[in-house]
């Protein structure tokens, strides 16, 4: 492989000589630079991911603290997976969802992350590493992160059953998703997922049109309505997929759905405009609707939540100093500032204890402990999210993450599922 | 003429031919080749199998008269195609007629023709999204109807419906009809129309027997634009149809997102074949090369 030469055989000293020869001004800058940070200073990392985690504030703070320049490549969830498979050399690190891993790891395009180089490796949230919150197991249906957390070796294409030194993705954010709703337009409390299929909301519900997530929301609703009990909602058999899609088609023909959405902003518009009063939704979209001054609830439902998590990975094409810079960035990311930033957006950070150091106690109490806000709660950008006295929908971390029933997933019958989903859209 | 000038046209055509080969013929060949390959969740493997094609049409014959997904999707797309074509043709022809025969000064003609392109100053997606506050459940039209007492509850079919998709398509594509028809019509010798009138033809007869036949090349070119755009579209149908209406493009997009490239390629080949048949049918009716 000729491109190996680009990374490993050219060390920084040779590179510096070259650049010094290129310009005296550059030489001056290098001499003045503090040697301790030289390893990563001035490096640029191309960071592929969904726009959700790619905040300009995080990149700015990272530059201040580490000298690493982060160059975001924002694409959709599906596009992240596609890029890893087809163009692994077009980015230096990736922020991908765990549920994509059964498709990505066999390709060999991602290498294991070395746990020994991760400062907080032992402090990663146990819900991701072991599927436990406060020592209790959560629902493990679907592609639970704990099932795909470790690799057998750095270049292994197999997931390890036990803890190993090689981690597939170092977690960035995760959350528990539920249905979003407009309490002002509904007028009563909604307690079950079956509301998605309830004729009471005919023509006023929406479903996410990303097949792998949409079918999970549908399965939660179908199971809640008592129409069927799944073996594993995140890994349905052909018969289960058939039943799920048939039920959805019947609902669609009866006019249950107002629309389907694929883009985060579409879900915000549907909810804010009142076209829809109850739908599949993501937590930041709920926050976005609220920041327009419109009531939007994200309550915990009796059947539990649909969990998801994403994390940093390195493609096999990243070489040399870029790898060091990537690890330095990951360690910085886990060290608290970024975690606090994400917690304030309603996500959960991978290392809760470092994030706590960067949050005010009243913020921690509101976001993580589910206590009433002692003061007004603001988003990182200063937008008012909740007035003093309000409580987080669903409550504390333990109440939300502890009640995850299933995780975003890739099914074994994925191809069949996609075909059936297209049939549903065409019906 | 010497042998040198015989080769000149080839050199002149070479740059375009090169661009065409590189960016059209080669990718298209790749799509056709890949459509026979095997795939799994993370890789595609060279092969020569027909299962991608049989998968697309699986159950289509057995299920008749019920339509399978593929037939239902194509039928839906073809219906949109026919409706959009008819509407843009009528509107485009009327506007072109107005610009050519009713507007007196050439300056004014140019100014008005440019005004027709104003919707194209913003992006496609913005133009579509701007319909939503107008047509929505709480949109301007519904507020107006409620205020006037025409209805007592909001009209739902204005948005995320067949109607809204059609509206957006006509809004987006009429200009593709106007410009070629305008171009054809502007070349019509006015004395022919005078001759028709002198010969005692009524207005409708002049339109039917003189104007329409002479505008045929423009109509054909405009039709090709509109048909190809509508057949391949999935963004308009997605946004305006609330993603509840299937389109071939959307099916292909979902398949590529799930890395089922060979299946998507096979679908693209089927779509291409369908569009080619439509265009061939059209060129049977009008010999574009002869008329230009």
């Amino acid at each position: 492989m000729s491109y190996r030469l680009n990374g490993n055989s050219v060390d920084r000293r040779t590179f510096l000589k070259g650049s010094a020869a290129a310009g005296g001004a550059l030489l001056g800058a290098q001499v003045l630079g503090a040697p301790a940070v030289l390893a990563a200073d001035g490096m640029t990392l191309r960071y592929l991911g969904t726009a959700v985690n790619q905040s300009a504030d995080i990149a700015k703070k990272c530059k201040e603290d580490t000298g690493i320049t982060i160059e975001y490549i924002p694409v959709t969830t599906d596009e992240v997976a596609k890029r890893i498979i087809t163009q692994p050399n077009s980015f230096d690190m990736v922020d991908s969802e765990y549920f994509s891993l059964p498709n990505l790891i066999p390709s060999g395009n991602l290498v294991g992350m070395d746990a020994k180089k991760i400062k907080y490796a032992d402090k990663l949230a146990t819900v991701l590493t072991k599927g436990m919150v406060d020592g209790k197991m959560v629902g493990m249906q679907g592609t639970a992160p704990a099932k795909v957390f470790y690799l057998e070796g750095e270049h292994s294409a197999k997931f390890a059953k036990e803890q190993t030194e090689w981690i597939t993705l170092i977690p960035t954010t995760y959350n528990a998703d539920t249905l979003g709703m407009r309490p002002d337009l509904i007028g009563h409390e909604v307690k079950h997922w079956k509301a998605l299929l309830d004729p009471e909301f005919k023509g006023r519900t929406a479903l996410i049109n990303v097949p792998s997530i949409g079918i999970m929301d549908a399965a939660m609703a179908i199971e809640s309505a008592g129409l069927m009990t799944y073996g594993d909602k995140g890994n349905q058999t052909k018969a289960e997929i058939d039943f799920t899609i048939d039920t959805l088609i019947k609902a669609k023909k009866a006019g249950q759905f107002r629309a389907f959405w694929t883009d985060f902003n579409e879900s915000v518009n549907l909810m804010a405009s009142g076209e829809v009063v109850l739908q599949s939704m993501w937590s930041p979209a709920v926050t976005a609707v609220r920041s327009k001054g419109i009531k939007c609830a994200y309550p915990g439902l009796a059947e539990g939540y649909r969990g998801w998590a994403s994390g940093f990975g390195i493609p096999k094409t990243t070489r040399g100093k870029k790898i060091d810079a990537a690890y330095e960035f990951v360690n910085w990311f886990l060290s608290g500032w970024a975690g606090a930033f994400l917690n304030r957006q309603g996500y959960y950070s991978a290392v809760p204890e470092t994030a706590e150091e960067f949050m005010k106690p009243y913020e921690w109490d509101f976001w993580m402990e589910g206590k009433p806000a002692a003061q007004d709660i603001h988003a990182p950008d200063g937008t008012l999210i909740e007035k003093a006295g309000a409580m987080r929908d669903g409550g504390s971390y333990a109440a939300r993450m502890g009640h995850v029933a299933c995780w975003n997933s890739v099914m074994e019958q994925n191809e069949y599922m996609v075909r059936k989903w297209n049939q549903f859209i065409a019906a | 003429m010497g042998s040198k000038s015989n080769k000149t046209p080839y050199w002149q055509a070479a740059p375009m031919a090169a661009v065409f080969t590189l960016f059209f013929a080669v990718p298209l060949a790749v799509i056709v080749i890949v459509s026979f390959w095997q795939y799994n969740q993370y890789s595609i493997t060279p092969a020569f199998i027909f299962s991608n094609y049989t998968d697309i049409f699986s159950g289509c014959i057995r299920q008749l008269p019920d339509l399978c997904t593929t037939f239902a999707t194509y039928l839906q797309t073809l219906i949109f195609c026919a409706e959009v074509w008819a509407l843009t043709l009528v509107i485009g022809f009327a506007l072109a007629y107005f610009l050519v025969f009713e507007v007196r000064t050439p300056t004014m003609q140019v100014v008005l023709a440019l005004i027709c392109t104003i919707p194209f100053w913003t992006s496609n997606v913005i133009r579509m999204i701007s319909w939503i506050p107008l047509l929505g459940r709480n949109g301007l039209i519904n507020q107006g109807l409620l205020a006037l007492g025409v209805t007592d509850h909001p009209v739902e079919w204005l948005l995320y419906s067949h109607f809204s998709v059609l509206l957006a398509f006509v809004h987006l594509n009429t200009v593709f009809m106007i410009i070629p028809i305008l171009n054809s019509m502007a070349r019509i010798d006015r004395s022919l129309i005078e001759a028709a009138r002198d010969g005692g033809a009524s207005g409708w007869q002049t339109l039917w027997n003189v104007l329409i036949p002479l505008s045929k090349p423009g109509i054909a070119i405009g039709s090709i634009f509109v048909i190809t755009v509508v057949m391949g579209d999935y963004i308009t149908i997605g946004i305006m149809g609330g993603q509840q209406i299937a389109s071939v493009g959307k099916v292909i997009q979902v398949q590529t997102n799930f890395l089922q490239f060979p299946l998507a390629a096979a679908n693209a080949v089927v779509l291409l074949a369908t569009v080619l048949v439509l265009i061939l049918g059209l060129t049977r009716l009008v010999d574009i090369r002869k008329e230009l």
Side-chain angles (χ1 to χ4, degrees):
Chain A
M1 281 194 231
S2 58
Y3 50 75
R4 261 180 197 281
L5 295 171
N6 294 338
N8 290 340
S9 67
V10 182
D11 65 7
R12 185 163 179 92
R13 202 168 292 276
T14 337
F15 174 71
L16 279 185
K17 276 182 197 158
S19 39
L26 187 63
L27 178 71
Q30 298 288 5
V31 170
L32 288 172
V37 295
L38 262 184
D41 199 7
M43 294 291 285
T44 297
L45 286 176
R46 294 170 300 165
Y47 171 157
L48 174 73
T50 57
V52 170
N53 290 346
Q54 297 186 330
S55 156
D57 293 329
I58 292 180
K60 197 174 140 210
K61 181 71 179 166
C62 170
K63 177 79 184 167
E64 281 172 26
D65 289 358
T66 65
I68 299 170
T69 307
I70 297 296
E71 192 183 298
Y72 288 129
I73 309 174
V75 296
T76 61
T77 308
D78 290 335
E79 189 68 27
V80 171
K82 212 194 296 179
R83 281 259 206 146
I84 294 171
I85 301 279
T86 57
Q87 304 164 56
N89 54 351
S90 68
F91 55 91
D92 302 313
M93 60 186 309
V94 60
D95 184 359
S96 165
E97 281 205 41
Y98 282 83
F99 85 84
S100 306
L101 287 174
N103 283 349
L104 303 178
I105 292 299
S107 74
N109 286 355
L110 288 181
V111 294
M113 302 275 294
D114 188 346
K116 283 190 288 197
K117 290 191 198 167
I118 304 292
K119 199 174 159 196
Y120 299 99
D122 328 331
K123 295 189 173 158
L124 294 172
T126 52
V127 69
L128 305 176
T129 55
K130 301 191 180 86
M132 290 169 126
V133 173
D134 295 343
K136 276 183 281 183
M137 287 299 287
V138 302
M140 295 294 275
Q141 291 191 10
T143 310
K147 293 183 195 166
V148 293
F149 206 82
Y150 297 103
L151 287 176
E152 290 180 354
E154 185 179 10
H155 296 284
S156 169
K158 273 198 186 143
F159 299 112
K161 293 209 166 57
E162 304 297 316
Q163 180 171 347
T164 70
E165 190 197 330
W166 304 103
I167 299 177
T168 49
L169 298 173
I170 304 295
T172 48
T173 48
Y174 55 99
N175 210 337
D177 282 356
T178 176
L179 294 173
M181 48 196 82
R182 287 277 301 265
D184 53 333
L185 298 180
I186 292 177
H188 60 82
E189 208 180 338
V190 172
K191 289 183 179 153
H192 297 278
W193 277 84
K194 65 183 176 192
L196 192 61
L197 298 170
D198 190 334
E200 181 193 345
F201 306 114
K202 189 181 155 199
R204 297 190 294 163
T205 67
L207 193 61
I208 177 172
N209 188 10
V210 172
S212 48
I213 305 176
I215 198 156
M216 301 289 283
D217 283 355
M220 289 293 279
I222 287 170
E223 205 169 67
S224 150
L227 300 173
M228 171 146 163
T229 307
Y230 294 87
D232 181 344
K233 287 183 280 294
N235 194 12
Q236 300 179 20
T237 62
K238 278 193 175 183
E240 286 171 338
I241 293 171
D242 284 343
F243 183 82
T244 309
I245 297 292
D246 285 348
T247 311
L248 285 177
I249 290 175
K250 269 184 217 146
K252 183 183 173 188
K253 289 197 167 152
Q256 180 69 12
F257 306 111
R258 179 65 168 154
F260 303 134
W261 60 267
T262 32
D263 179 81
F264 165 89
N265 291 311
E266 288 172 324
S267 72
V268 174
N269 288 337
L270 283 171
M271 204 56 136
S273 66
E275 293 295 329
V276 157
V277 299
L278 186 136
Q279 65 171 351
S280 307
M281 217 170 171
W282 297 340
S283 139
V286 175
T287 310
V289 173
R290 282 183 190 164
S291 66
K292 293 176 200 277
I294 297 166
K295 280 208 172 76
C296 187
Y298 205 52
L301 300 172
E303 295 81 13
Y305 293 85
R306 177 178 50 72
W308 60 268
S310 65
F312 287 127
I314 298 184
K316 65 173 182 191
T317 45
T318 302
R319 301 280 169 219
K321 299 288 177 197
K322 288 252 187 188
I323 294 183
D324 298 340
Y327 276 103
E328 187 172 345
F329 172 65
V330 171
N331 278 322
W332 174 81
F333 200 94
L334 298 180
S335 69
W337 189 90
F341 186 91
L342 295 166
N343 279 355
R344 285 190 201 104
Q345 287 182 312
Y347 296 114
Y348 293 122
S349 61
V351 187
E353 50 193 272
T354 58
E356 187 173 6
E357 294 165 20
F358 286 80
M359 291 174 84
K360 303 244 167 58
Y362 77 89
E363 289 181 315
W364 181 261
D365 285 348
F366 174 80
W367 290 111
M368 301 298 285
E369 304 290 348
K371 292 180 186 163
Q375 302 176 30
D376 287 354
I377 298 291
H378 295 271
D381 64 1
T383 321
L384 178 73
I385 294 183
E386 291 288 0
K387 293 225 170 73
M391 276 170 74
R392 179 172 190 170
D393 281 349
S396 66
Y397 178 86
R400 296 182 80 251
M401 284 318 293
H403 285 99
V404 163
C406 61
W407 298 83
N408 282 0
S409 75
V410 169
M411 301 185 186
E412 278 162 49
Q413 294 294 342
N414 191 38
E415 195 186 313
Y416 183 73
M417 191 275 287
V418 172
R419 198 193 306 165
K420 292 295 285 186
W421 186 268
N422 277 329
Q423 191 181 330
F424 162 52
I425 297 297
Chain B
M1 293 232 181
S3 63
K4 191 185 162 200
S5 61
N6 277 344
K7 285 182 185 165
T8 312
Y10 292 99
W11 286 115
Q12 287 170 332
M16 188 64 195
V19 169
F20 230 65
T21 314
L22 201 62
F23 296 107
F24 179 72
V26 172
L28 192 62
V30 170
I31 288 176
V32 174
I33 292 167
V34 169
S35 72
F36 293 101
W37 286 17
Q38 282 175 329
Y39 64 95
N40 60 21
Q41 295 193 355
Y42 52 87
S43 67
I44 56 178
T45 336
F48 189 72
I49 52 164
F50 289 88
S51 64
N52 297 319
Y53 289 93
T54 49
D55 279 355
I56 294 175
F57 294 106
S58 76
C60 282
I61 306 297
R62 185 169 42 81
Q63 263 178 294
L64 287 172
D66 287 339
L67 295 172
C68 61
T69 313
T70 305
F71 282 179
T73 308
Y74 272 89
L75 181 68
Q76 182 66 66
T77 310
L78 285 171
I79 290 173
F80 273 128
C81 221
E83 289 169 338
V84 175
W85 176 78
L87 286 169
T88 53
L89 178 62
V90 171
I91 298 170
F93 190 90
L95 278 171
Y97 180 89
F98 174 79
L99 288 174
V100 173
F101 296 108
E102 301 291 333
V103 180
R104 300 286 159 89
T105 65
T107 324
M108 204 57 197
Q109 281 182 348
V110 173
V111 169
L112 289 177
L114 282 178
I115 286 178
C116 290
T117 66
I118 283 184
F120 285 78
W121 294 3
T122 56
S123 92
N124 201 347
V125 174
I126 304 250
R127 263 177 290 153
M128 284 188 279
I129 290 176
S130 56
W131 282 109
I132 293 172
L134 194 67
L135 301 174
R137 181 177 283 141
N138 304 314
L140 274 178
I141 291 185
N142 266 324
Q143 281 176 6
L145 290 176
L146 288 172
L148 290 173
V150 180
T151 67
D152 52 0
H153 47 71
V155 182
E156 304 267 317
W157 54 262
L158 287 172
L159 188 60
Y160 303 133
S161 60
H162 192 92
F163 167 80
S164 56
V165 175
L166 198 57
L167 186 72
F169 266 137
V170 171
H171 175 223
L172 298 177
N173 294 319
T174 301
V175 77
F176 294 126
M177 236 4 153
I178 297 175
I179 304 297
I181 297 180
L182 182 80
N183 188 36
S184 285
M185 245 183 215
R187 298 187 202 180
I188 296 175
D189 190 344
R190 307 267 167 140
S191 55
L192 290 174
I193 299 164
E194 279 172 32
R197 198 172 298 147
D198 292 348
S202 70
W204 287 109
Q205 281 174 319
T206 314
L207 178 71
W208 192 252
N209 295 314
V210 180
L211 285 178
I212 290 180
L214 289 172
S215 306
K216 261 188 179 175
I219 293 174
I221 292 171
S223 303
I224 291 175
F225 277 132
V226 171
I227 289 171
T228 46
V229 168
V230 175
M231 285 302 290
D233 179 276
Y234 64 93
I235 295 174
T236 310
I237 297 184
I239 294 180
M240 299 305 291
Q243 303 194 17
Q244 297 222 53
I245 301 172
S247 59
V248 184
K250 182 73 194 176
V251 171
I252 294 175
Q253 191 211 17
V254 170
Q255 285 163 347
T256 52
N257 281 342
F258 279 79
L259 303 165
Q260 302 172 343
F261 289 112
L263 196 56
N267 252 313
V269 171
V270 173
L271 176 62
L272 183 68
T274 316
V275 175
L276 282 179
V277 167
L278 287 176
I279 306 271
L280 271 178
L282 206 67
T283 48
R284 275 294 176 86
L285 295 175
V286 188
D287 186 345
I288 297 175
R289 263 177 298 179
K290 198 180 101 194
E291 304 273 356
L292 279 178

